Amino acid sequence: MNPTALHDVVPHIRLDGLTVVYEKPRDGGSFVAVANACLDVERGTFVTIVGPSGCGKSSLLLAIAGLIRPAKGRVLVNGRPVSGPGRDRAMVFQDFALLPWRTVLENVRFGLELQSGWKLAYPMDASTGAVAGNSGARGWKSRNREDLNERALRYVRLVGLNGFEHYHPQQLSGGMKQKAGIARALAVDPEILLMDEPFGSLDAQAREAMGNELLAIWEQDKKTALFVTHSIDEAIFLGDRVVVMEKDPGHITETISIHLPRPRTVEMLDSEAYIEHRRRIRAHLMGELQHQRALALPHD
Amino acid sequence: MTKVTNITIGRLRFSKRALVSTLSVSIFLLVWEAAPRLHLVDPFYTSQPSRIAAASVEIIRSAVFLRDVSVSLLEFASGFSLALVAGVPIGLLLGAFPMLRYLLDPPVMAIYATPELALLPIIVVWLGIGMESKIAVVFVAAVIPILVNSIAGVREVDRSLVLAARSFCARRRDIFAKVILPSSLPAVMIGIRLGLSRAVLGVVVAEMYVSQAGVGNEIMRYGSAFRIDYLLFYVLLVSAFGFAGTTVMRKLEERLGW
């Protein structure tokens, strides 16, 4: 089948009744983290997922990454069910998950190293689109390593960490650590970028700056992006669509399309449309909360 | 963190710590040397730095010295390398596979809780009074901290690093080689350092218990002959060796650590 035709008819990511259940080892019980989530994500869109802690937004992302197995339902990527991690998806973690014994460059190379074993048509030269050949078996390994370094370096520069290639994570600020995390994910050239509260441990200023930089990078090739956050502002500012989730059990209550032009600017934070989106999302989250309180009252 | 300040004397700069430590050692040696001369203590019991120096010259010139040292070193080196070769890989395996750990945890913990010197009589019954029994004691003494720390090193690997590796489609052996192994290296190094000092202790005490040669044998022999100066020379020799070994390990930890 012609791949472009496939892309036109099938959403890039489809959640089909996704249910994630965690077993509790203590009492043998189970905890429903995500219940019956359905969602279509179109290719090249930036979708943000917002909700309170414990609403299953991270579990949803981990299921799409193939890192946890759904109890029920399916995750489809390009129409094919996800059975595990894949080279088409890369993830950015809230706690950065950088290897402390590796430098920035070596950390960015980490994903490339892990995937280089089976990435044979590699590396693709972005400027020419040509596949650089690994001529001859002799010295293949060192040659390959060099290519990985070059490629990692390109992504270090892309996120603006040039000059810090040889620093270790513990020498960097939170924002810079996450830049390295983003570079590591982008370096394997995934179709889908999964970000699990990537700015969750940053201070407010760093958060805003990182949001802007992330959008600038994303605008370059518009990969499909899923971004989990508990900040309503971040969700609206970054997203084409905002998925609102609630807890007990974690479920999707609503998806809202954000009608703000791109590139997004800080001035938009004061626009009518922005304030209206924010009011609506907050009403959703508050409404759910009041609903839950009403349910909880008789038991008190 | 302690703040290290420097003291300047003329053109020389010393760190406060080095200066004070040197001072304390010098005062101790001075008092030790002076006390018997002033008839404050009996040198028969305390000996003196000058007597130990004289004894050391005599011992080092003697033919048995080289034999004793080489016997002890060989026992130490054999037992300790066996402990390294067995302890590190088995520890890493036990850390990685819970089922294996459940299986081997009771015996390992039993030996961990037992002072291995209490096992010495059995080991001598099994292996005799030659080098084999000393090598066995050193092995048991050193392998336990190496094993326990290697297991802990693997178990304390940051789960999010493993998750990150998996998200990049890492194979099991890649997760082991690129995440678990480097991550547990500092704990393994600490285990090796602790094992080293226990191995030194093991050699000396095992030789003191029953042996035909070695540094511990000499310490025991001079002890029963009331030759405190000769005895103390060997004690200092063991201390210096243990200190040197531990220092080398610390430097290695700093170099390899992250």
Side-chain angles (χ1 to χ4, degrees):
Chain A
M1 191 197 272
N2 183 346
T4 31
L6 181 79
H7 291 161
D8 291 341
V9 290
V10 183
H12 203 178
I13 305 169
R14 165 168 279 175
L15 304 185
D16 179 13
L18 174 71
T19 302
V20 176
V21 178
Y22 292 113
E23 304 295 330
K24 286 185 191 163
R26 285 272 170 74
D27 51 10
S30 55
F31 168 75
V32 180
V34 181
N36 197 30
C38 295
L39 180 72
D40 281 357
V41 176
E42 299 308 321
R43 181 171 293 272
T45 55
F46 199 121
V47 173
T48 54
I49 304 170
V50 69
S53 335
C55 70
K57 51 195 193 299
S58 290
S59 300
L60 192 103
L61 211 64
L62 288 171
I64 297 170
L67 291 169
I68 50 177
R69 209 172 285 280
K72 259 192 290 179
R74 290 187 304 173
V75 176
L76 300 166
V77 171
N78 288 326
R80 282 188 297 272
V82 161
S83 60
R87 281 162 40 195
D88 50 356
R89 287 152 288 148
M91 191 145 179
V92 178
F93 297 86
Q94 178 180 4
D95 61 358
F96 320 120
L98 298 172
L99 307 174
W101 56 87
R102 286 184 173 225
T103 62
V104 166
L105 184 69
E106 289 164 345
N107 264 295
V108 173
R109 206 182 59 199
F110 183 59
L112 288 170
E113 278 174 34
L114 291 171
Q115 296 188 2
S116 66
W118 23 323
K119 206 161 190 169
L120 292 173
Y122 178 90
M124 278 276 266
D125 192 320
S127 53
T128 61
V131 176
N134 285 313
S135 43
R138 202 159 59 91
W140 181 85
K141 207 153 188 179
S142 65
R143 174 80 194 249
N144 192 38
R145 182 151 287 245
E146 215 175 282
D147 291 336
L148 296 188
N149 272 339
E150 266 168 39
R151 190 173 168 124
L153 196 59
R154 209 164 70 220
Y155 284 91
V156 167
R157 292 206 185 100
L158 178 74
V159 298
L161 278 180
N162 21 333
F164 295 94
E165 301 90 327
H166 303 299
Y167 280 55
H168 282 85
Q170 55 270 37
Q171 297 171 284
L172 303 180
S173 69
M176 291 164 87
K177 282 183 200 167
Q178 199 54 289
K179 282 183 183 178
I182 292 168
R184 177 176 67 180
L186 290 174
V188 298
D189 194 21
E191 290 178 25
I192 299 168
L193 194 56
L194 302 167
M195 291 167 278
D196 186 10
E197 296 196 45
F199 308 147
S201 47
L202 307 185
D203 60 64
Q205 277 84 16
R207 241 183 133 114
E208 217 177 283
M210 287 293 290
N212 281 314
E213 295 201 36
L214 176 64
L215 279 188
I217 292 166
W218 177 77
E219 300 269 356
Q220 292 181 17
D221 58 355
K222 298 211 170 173
K223 291 180 189 301
T224 305
L226 254 79
F227 185 104
V228 165
T229 177
H230 55 248
S231 154
I232 298 174
D233 285 308
E234 207 167 68
I236 302 169
F237 185 70
L238 297 174
D240 294 314
R241 276 204 301 158
V242 176
V243 176
V244 183
M245 287 186 77
E246 260 308 329
K247 59 179 175 180
D248 301 320
H251 61 285
I252 296 174
T253 58
E254 161 101 86
T255 60
I256 296 162
S257 294
I258 302 300
H259 301 293
L260 291 171
R262 288 190 188 272
R264 302 272 165 88
T265 60
V266 191
E267 288 75 47
M268 289 180 195
L269 295 176
D270 301 319
S271 69
E272 288 283 322
Y274 184 90
I275 292 165
E276 181 49 39
H277 283 312
R278 193 166 139 177
R279 200 190 336 260
R280 189 157 158 218
I281 292 168
R282 191 179 281 164
H284 260 287
L285 291 170
M286 298 299 279
E288 278 289 322
L289 217 64
Q290 273 153 18
H291 178 63
Q292 276 167 19
R293 284 213 189 99
L295 281 177
L297 267 178
H299 301 287
D300 286 345
Chain B
M1 291 291 281
T2 50
K3 194 182 161 202
V4 179
T5 43
N6 292 315
I7 295 175
T8 315
I9 301 171
R11 282 189 174 177
L12 297 168
R13 281 170 68 85
F14 302 95
S15 80
K16 210 174 195 171
R17 183 180 157 183
L19 207 67
V20 172
S21 303
T22 313
L23 204 68
S24 79
V25 173
S26 314
I27 290 172
F28 173 75
L29 290 174
L30 212 67
V31 170
W32 191 8
E33 183 66 37
R37 287 179 196 273
L38 299 170
H39 305 290
L40 296 172
V41 292
D42 185 348
F44 177 77
Y45 295 111
T46 64
S47 190
Q48 266 176 312
S50 57
R51 288 179 193 226
I52 295 170
S56 65
V57 173
E58 212 175 301
I59 293 171
I60 291 169
R61 279 191 184 153
S62 69
V64 284
F65 176 67
L66 214 62
R67 191 202 60 183
D68 283 325
V69 169
S70 53
V71 164
S72 294
L73 271 182
L74 190 60
E75 288 164 352
F76 166 81
S78 319
F80 187 60
S81 3
L82 281 174
L84 275 182
V85 169
V88 175
I90 294 177
L92 295 175
L93 273 176
L94 291 189
F97 297 102
M99 274 312 282
L100 270 178
R101 194 163 62 239
Y102 303 150
L103 192 73
L104 289 179
D105 222 25
V108 168
M109 283 305 135
I111 300 172
Y112 187 40
T114 312
E116 62 282 347
L117 299 172
L119 300 173
L120 197 50
I122 310 178
I123 292 175
V124 170
V125 169
W126 287 347
L127 297 173
I129 63 168
M131 286 176 69
E132 293 84 355
S133 57
K134 315 301 180 298
I135 292 172
V137 171
V138 172
F139 172 77
V140 175
V143 80
I144 295 296
I146 294 175
L147 202 60
V148 170
N149 280 282
S150 302
I151 293 173
V154 174
R155 294 191 66 189
E156 280 156 21
V157 169
D158 186 348
R159 302 310 299 169
S160 71
L161 299 183
V162 176
L163 199 68
R166 283 183 54 213
S167 79
F168 290 109
C169 317
R171 291 162 292 190
R172 284 178 74 98
R173 63 183 158 111
D174 282 330
I175 293 178
F176 188 79
K178 288 180 191 283
V179 180
I180 293 175
L181 204 59
S183 170
S184 46
L185 192 65
V188 173
M189 297 293 283
I190 289 172
I192 294 174
R193 174 156 55 84
L194 296 176
L196 185 123
S197 52
R198 288 183 61 164
V200 173
L201 184 81
V203 171
V204 175
V205 178
E207 284 176 350
M208 285 169 72
Y209 174 68
V210 56
S211 64
Q212 297 152 310
V215 171
N217 180 279
E218 296 296 336
I219 292 176
M220 210 56 193
R221 207 160 62 80
Y222 287 119
S224 8
F226 299 102
R227 295 303 303 268
I228 305 291
D229 39 2
Y230 287 80
L231 183 155
L232 280 177
F233 166 75
Y234 279 109
V235 172
L236 287 173
L237 192 68
V238 174
S239 307
F241 179 75
F243 181 74
T246 314
T247 307
V248 167
M249 277 307 299
R250 276 189 199 279
K251 292 282 171 222
L252 264 177
E253 280 169 44
E254 278 167 29
R255 284 281 297 276
L256 295 174
W258 36 268

